[in-house]
Amino acid sequence: MLTASIVQLLCMMQLMCTVQHMNASASPARTGATVASLSAAGIVASLMGTLVIPLVGRLPELLDTSTANASWVVTAPLLTGAVATPVFGRLGDLYGKRRMLLICVGLLVAGSVTSALSDSLVPMVIGRAVQGIGMGIVPLGISTMRDVVPPERMGASVALMSSSLGIGGAFGLPLAAGVAQNTDWHALFWGSAAVSLLVGVAVLRFVPGVPADTARGRFDIPGAIGLTAGLVSLLLAVSKGAEWGWTSVTTLGLFAAAVIALCAWGWFELRTAEPLVDLRATARRPVLLTNLASVVIGFAMFAQSLVAPQLLQLPEEIGYGLGQSMLAAGLWMVPTGLVMMAFSPLGAKLSARFGPRTSLLTGSLIIAVGYGLALPLMGSVAGIVAFSCVVSVGVAFAYGAMPAIIMASVPASKTASANGFNALMRSIGLSVSSAVIGVLLAQMSHDVGDFTLPTENGFRAAAVVGGAAALTAALLTLAIPRATARLTPLDAPQSGASGLEPEPEAARPA
């Protein structure tokens, strides 16, 4: 299975190269290898999120701990990943994106090896937390593309890299389930270490370095500490609230601590010369509205990830379950990743012709349509695959458009940190979606034998909530100014490596 994991990653990299050449056959092979390497790095980083899902039910036994403690194996990378994305984005702007990419890959390898050597809770949680830090790869990869990819390739490349989160999740679940069912569970982490190392070699070989001389200043250590304190408090409260009780002293205390820490952090960031996150730039209307849309798009995407696999795996005897094994359910979700990969370049072409605002709006509406189709189609395997693929098409359009809007609205020297903050907004949406959909399904459940299972109406309500989130994203997108910069058309003069024009005034030489 380890060999199969490496072969699958190589196949994905080859497919991504093929997709890139199909959309710009005249581009040099070097650019295709660069894009494939960066996209593969993003996919591998996102694989870490689904790596332990097949083991969740067995973790207490495998690690000799309680169910509550075992849940930290899932929670730890979510927390560290949320913090790492804006921090590594800023570090990339200051000290070089390629260097930070390689450090993130190294952390993926280190975290995987630590988990592979673990047989108890503490080292496993440490390994998973280190793996989560590697999620900083995605915004770093997107901003690297602005520096090294020709303008005519920029749109499709950024869209593919941005969609790597969904692509990795779709491929990761069946892969992890297959390994967990056929080999020792430690092989999951040895395999993730191997593919991470392989991606590191590809980044070292094919991704050129760009001098980080446009971003002068020092790293904002107090800002990083403040943001970490606020995010950890917020995400702990959101992810553990159902387990601890939403009105418990611990949960309410964490929410209060998050508000205080984030407000203090914001006050400090507005008064420091070299902030971790330029809040004035994020307050610009296109950036602010895009970040808010990212939260609800992340919410809508993850809602589908919670609904579809559960319906596929519930027993047929209850009347609405489809009786699939975890491996089969994961395999049925693979088409969603393929669809996302295939439609990302199409979304980029739409952005090039009409602007990324149009792609974001189109994607949001397609997601809403997908959830509308879920209501009549969720009674069959084919129906679930169909509505999940429609949602994935919308996600591909939206995820490709969001970084394009961000990069068109901030100075070139701050693209990595701005994309890191945007990725953070998506992570918050994922966490909130997990909490809200989890509470919804728990409230709309019934007893079946010795088990408590969500009702069919609970899943329908979750689909309605996911659709409502997508429509909210569409409304936010409509408020983004129409003048938001477009991707450079294929026949336009190349005004710079970014492929985005016009550049904001703050980025122009005085």
Side-chain angles (χ1 to χ4, degrees):
M1 293 302 296
L2 177 60
T3 303
S5 301
I6 297 174
V7 170
Q8 182 167 352
L9 179 64
L10 287 170
C11 291
M12 284 192 290
M13 292 177 68
Q14 180 62 42
L15 178 57
M16 286 185 288
C17 284
T18 302
V19 170
Q20 291 298 316
H21 284 291
M22 287 173 60
N23 286 277
S25 57
S27 298
R30 172 82 183 194
T31 300
T34 299
V35 172
S37 299
L38 290 171
S39 299
I43 289 172
V44 169
S46 66
L47 284 173
M48 303 305 166
T50 55
L51 199 63
V52 298
I53 289 179
L55 297 175
V56 166
R58 298 173 54 201
L59 283 175
E61 174 190 353
L62 295 174
L63 302 176
D64 191 24
T65 188
S66 66
T67 301
N69 287 338
S71 67
W72 285 104
V73 176
V74 178
T75 304
L78 297 177
L79 296 177
T80 57
V83 172
T85 48
V87 169
F88 270 89
R90 179 58 178 159
L91 288 171
D93 285 333
L94 287 172
Y95 304 115
K97 303 179 184 75
R98 180 174 179 265
R99 179 181 299 172
M100 292 302 120
L101 278 168
L102 291 171
I103 289 175
C104 284
V105 171
L107 290 169
L108 289 179
V109 175
S112 298
V113 170
T114 301
S115 298
L117 295 172
S118 301
D119 286 304
S120 59
L121 179 66
V122 173
M124 173 64 80
V125 171
I126 292 173
R128 291 286 290 155
V130 174
Q131 281 183 320
I133 299 175
M135 287 302 297
I137 283 175
V138 176
L140 283 170
I142 292 172
S143 56
T144 298
M145 287 177 177
R146 181 175 185 174
D147 295 335
V148 303
V149 175
E152 68 271 14
R153 302 284 299 276
M154 171 63 68
S157 301
V158 167
L160 184 60
M161 182 72 194
S162 185
S163 298
S164 64
L165 177 63
I167 295 170
F171 284 110
L173 184 58
L175 179 62
V179 172
Q181 289 182 15
N182 293 283
T183 66
D184 179 76
W185 64 273
H186 293 90
L188 281 174
F189 298 101
W190 289 119
S192 67
V195 295
S196 298
L197 187 60
L198 181 65
V199 162
V201 172
V203 170
L204 191 63
R205 173 68 178 83
F206 297 114
V207 178
V210 177
D213 58 357
T214 56
R216 298 170 183 167
R218 297 176 299 175
F219 181 69
D220 178 16
I221 295 177
I225 294 173
L227 181 61
T228 298
L231 286 178
V232 169
S233 299
L234 174 63
L235 295 177
L236 267 180
V238 169
S239 60
K240 293 289 187 178
E243 179 183 326
W244 293 339
W246 292 106
T247 58
S248 68
V249 173
T250 302
T251 303
L252 294 178
L254 284 171
F255 275 126
V259 171
I260 293 171
L262 291 175
C263 287
W265 170 76
W267 180 88
F268 177 83
E269 292 295 279
L270 289 171
R271 285 160 178 78
T272 188
E274 297 293 340
L276 177 71
V277 177
D278 188 345
L279 293 180
R280 289 183 174 85
T282 61
R284 295 174 183 170
R285 188 174 170 187
V287 180
L288 176 62
L289 291 170
T290 301
N291 283 331
L292 291 175
S294 297
V295 174
V296 286
I297 289 291
F299 183 106
M301 184 195 81
F302 201 65
Q304 177 267 331
S305 300
L306 293 172
V307 169
Q310 287 194 65
L311 281 170
L312 287 169
Q313 294 178 73
L314 285 174
E316 294 178 325
E317 291 76 15
I318 64 176
Y320 53 91
L322 297 171
Q324 304 292 305
S325 67
M326 175 170 287
L327 177 58
L331 290 172
W332 282 119
M333 290 293 98
V334 168
T336 63
L338 296 174
V339 162
M340 198 174 296
M341 187 182 296
F343 277 85
S344 292
L346 182 59
K349 290 183 178 180
L350 183 65
S351 292
R353 185 173 180 84
F354 300 107
R357 175 183 180 271
T358 300
S359 293
L360 181 54
L361 177 61
T362 302
S364 301
L365 294 175
I366 291 174
I367 294 172
V369 169
Y371 279 113
L373 292 173
L375 297 177
L377 294 180
M378 63 174 54
S380 68
V381 171
I384 288 179
V385 173
F387 93 76
S388 297
C389 285
V390 173
V391 170
S392 294
V393 170
V395 172
F397 276 65
Y399 268 27
M402 290 185 290
I405 297 174
I406 295 295
M407 289 193 293
S409 306
V410 301
S413 62
K414 296 183 179 180
T415 54
S417 56
N419 277 314
F421 193 75
N422 180 253
L424 169 62
M425 295 298 102
R426 300 191 215 179
S427 296
I428 291 175
L430 299 179
S431 298
V432 173
S433 178
S434 177
V436 171
I437 301 300
V439 168
L440 179 63
L441 295 179
Q443 292 296 319
M444 301 182 70
S445 60
H446 59 160
D447 293 329
V448 180
D450 296 331
F451 300 96
T452 300
L453 302 175
T455 64
E456 185 176 11
N457 285 335
F459 288 111
R460 293 182 180 277
V464 170
V465 170
L471 290 175
T472 301
L475 292 175
L476 289 168
T477 303
L478 287 173
I480 296 175
R482 288 182 178 273
T484 299
R486 297 183 181 183
L487 296 172
T488 304
L490 297 181
D491 57 350
Q494 296 183 10
S495 57
S498 70
L500 293 163
E501 56 179 19
E503 193 172 29
E505 290 185 33
R508 296 175 185 159

